[in-house]
Amino acid sequence: MKHSIFWKLIILILPLVLATDAVILGAAYKITYDANIEHCRKDVKETSSVAASIFEIYDPDDLQNTKLCCKDFDTLCSLLNMTYIYAIKPDLEKNELQYLAIGFGSDATDSAKKTRYTGVVVDGIYEEEKKAFTEGESVFRVEKNEFGETITCYTPVKHHWNPEKNDYDEDTVSFVGAEMSIKDVMNTVHNQFLTIMIFVLLSTMLIVIAIAVVFKTNISKRAKLLSRRMTEFVADRDKDFEEIKFKGKDELSEMATAFNSMAYEIDRYISDISELNKQKLTQETELNIAKNIQMGLLAPAAFSCSAAEINAFMRPARDVGGDLYDYHVLNNGKVCILIADVSGKGVSAALFMSRAITLLHQYVEMGMSPAKVLYEYNNHLADHNPNILFITTFVGIYDPKTKELTYSNAGHNNPYLLSDKLTALDSARGMAAGIFRKEIYEECTVKLKPGDTVFLFTDGVTEAESKDKKMFGDEGLENVLGRNLGKSGKEITDSVLAEINDFTKDAAQNDDITILAMTVIEKKTLRVKTEAKKENLVKITDCLQKLGLSEDASALLRLMAEEMFVNICSYAYPDGKGEAEFIAEADSDKAALTFIDSGKPFDPTKDVLEIDNYDAENAIGGLGRFLTFELADGYEYEYRDGKNILRLEKKL
């Protein structure tokens, strides 16, 4: 439910108005009360003076005179609306009063009439009574007692008739009190206040209604129009904007003018933003395509073959980076590793990178040396480089037979060799590729041994910045590499990345970070022990896959392993129950497959089928053994400790 500003303002003003009315009515009540009390005091004082004059002419010792005085007091009570009028003679020593005469009004209580009468003596004298008697002046008293709440005025009787002297006494011997009930006064006050209250409330109501009408017509109506137009402007952007026009120069008119200006500015801004969003969407689409192309060109982050283990990592500074790394096993068993860094970032750098990696693959597969690869690669890029980009590149080819890494460098960061010590591979130098044709590149060779790691990286590693703009630097990289001598390639790359992350913390990455580590391995050995059942053949093929050999070599070894394992499953255990152990070994030169079972003795190398005598239509079995031993470059069998042991070798 909507809460209109009109009702909010009414709810806000109403308490203020009511509070103001309460203050006004409180003041009016006090004024009315004080005025009536003052009037009452005046009447009581005048009455007590008149009563004192009357009492002066009477002899209080004459009972007949006293009765006449009481009648006069009754008459005064009736005429002047008094509750009591009495004459009292005090005895200060005894602290008591004697009523000499008393008159009652219409509102006098029965209790008072029974206890107050001529001649009665009452204990106790009020201070006001003493003051009137001793000081000879009128004194007021307001009290609430068993006779009700009254205002009393005491007036001394100074000239009282003395029959013995036949003259007036000049000493004060008594005083007269006139009492008026406040009850009648309060009734008057309440009646007057009720009239004032009705008048104030009616006036307030008329004022509030007048304010509400003015606000409703001049403010609320225009505010609702302004609110509705604003809502329509936000909710329906297809609808043409209609200006808001208010007469006058008040705040709402200024607000309407400001809103009109804002609406036109928003329309223009949204139009500009829409166009920018279209352009941005196009750019983002292009960047995503380029990023997918780039990441698709990169080799997996981890790889293992019989000669080496490789671990790599790349983190672009933007969606699309200019770094690349690659590795692959050549058909001759050599392992190629390379890393490069394109000047610039974004789509153009990614496209340049994709051409570079394609050329490197092409020239390496052609069997060129690293220096020759960079020579041809540089010439091609220089001939097709409209954006004048350049690319630093390092190419290395590892020969597992000679245990040598041959490398060449086109302006790239010098890699490191982690062996018995940390060594920078800085002997081969050359110009970055893609700028000048026919550049000559140096080529160097370094001897590797098992456990050595070649660490390649781009300048994003050494130029990584902390929040205070300090660089990680060559010293920082060499420190962390020096602490990781003898460790695996994965441990080395993880340690370097952790060190960089700790150094930069939350600082923005300014350049791509790319790492590749190749660790030389001497021999890789894998074992599988399983039940001799044909459905477990998949365990054998999975084991061969983990050797990381070339596809051709893997296919030949898989064929040989399948034939021998199926032969064991079919003939080694007549009851169909038994286990077989499979061992796969690979180094840079050859691979070896070993099969071990506890079945009946059987030498599969004897009585091998001669292919010239093979009857394809009538023969049963034997062809698998013939094919296996033909593919193998060497084999041997022995029966030892109750086990058949067959070893097959294949040169790589």
Side-chain angles (χ1 to χ4, degrees), residues 41-216:
R41 287 164 62 92
K42 184 178 178 181
D43 288 348
V44 171
K45 184 176 181 180
E46 291 178 352
T47 302
S48 66
S49 297
V50 173
S53 299
I54 293 173
F55 186 67
E56 287 179 353
I57 64 174
Y58 287 102
D59 181 4
D61 295 328
D62 187 343
L63 184 59
Q64 187 64 30
N65 285 339
T66 300
K67 290 181 178 180
L68 291 175
C69 183
C70 288
K71 288 182 179 180
D72 290 340
F73 284 178
D74 287 339
T75 303
L76 279 177
C77 286
S78 178
L79 292 174
L80 301 178
N81 198 27
M82 294 292 125
T83 305
Y84 309 105
I85 299 175
Y86 43 81
I88 300 175
K89 182 179 180 180
D91 188 340
L92 299 181
E93 292 182 0
K94 295 182 179 181
N95 193 31
E96 60 184 19
L97 299 172
Q98 180 182 10
Y99 279 82
L100 303 178
I102 187 168
F104 299 99
S106 59
D107 55 348
T109 63
D110 292 337
S111 175
K113 291 178 179 180
K114 292 179 180 179
T115 57
R116 290 185 179 185
Y117 50 85
T118 301
V120 68
V121 176
V122 179
D123 291 333
I125 303 176
Y126 296 123
E127 290 298 324
E128 291 84 356
E129 293 173 331
K130 290 181 180 180
K131 187 175 180 180
F133 181 72
T134 58
E135 296 182 7
E137 61 182 25
S138 296
V139 179
F140 285 97
R141 174 180 175 79
V142 179
E143 64 175 319
K144 186 174 184 181
N145 51 38
E146 67 271 19
F147 305 123
E149 189 173 2
T150 59
I151 296 177
T152 306
C153 181
Y154 302 110
T155 300
V157 180
K158 295 183 179 181
H159 303 285
H160 198 279
W161 177 259
N162 189 341
E164 295 179 359
K165 295 181 180 181
N166 197 25
D167 198 358
Y168 291 95
D169 289 327
E170 294 183 2
D171 296 329
T172 301
V173 294
S174 62
F175 59 87
V176 172
E179 292 185 13
M180 176 181 284
S181 174
I182 295 179
K183 177 181 177 182
D184 293 337
V185 177
M186 294 307 298
N187 289 336
T188 302
V189 170
H190 291 160
N191 291 334
Q192 292 177 354
F193 177 72
L194 182 61
T195 302
I196 294 172
M197 184 175 67
I198 292 172
F199 174 77
V200 170
L201 292 177
L202 288 175
S203 300
T204 301
M205 187 180 299
L206 290 174
I207 292 172
V208 170
I209 291 172
I211 292 173
V213 170
V214 171
F215 180 81
K216 185 78 173 176

Side-chain angles (χ1 to χ4, degrees), residues 602-616:
F602 175 72
D603 183 358
T605 63
K606 290 184 178 180
D607 302 325
V608 179
L609 172 72
E610 294 184 5
I611 195 64
D612 294 336
N613 300 326
Y614 181 66
D615 185 355

Side-chain angles (χ1 to χ4, degrees), residues 56-57 105 151 162 242 295 321 332 347 421 470 539 611 636-637 646 648:
E56 287 179 353
I57 64 174
I151 296 177
N162 189 341
E242 183 179 351
M295 300 310 292
N332 57 11
V347 177
K421 62 179 180 178
K470 292 182 180 179
K539 296 181 180 180
I611 195 64
E636 61 179 356
Y637 166 81
L646 174 66
L648 305 174

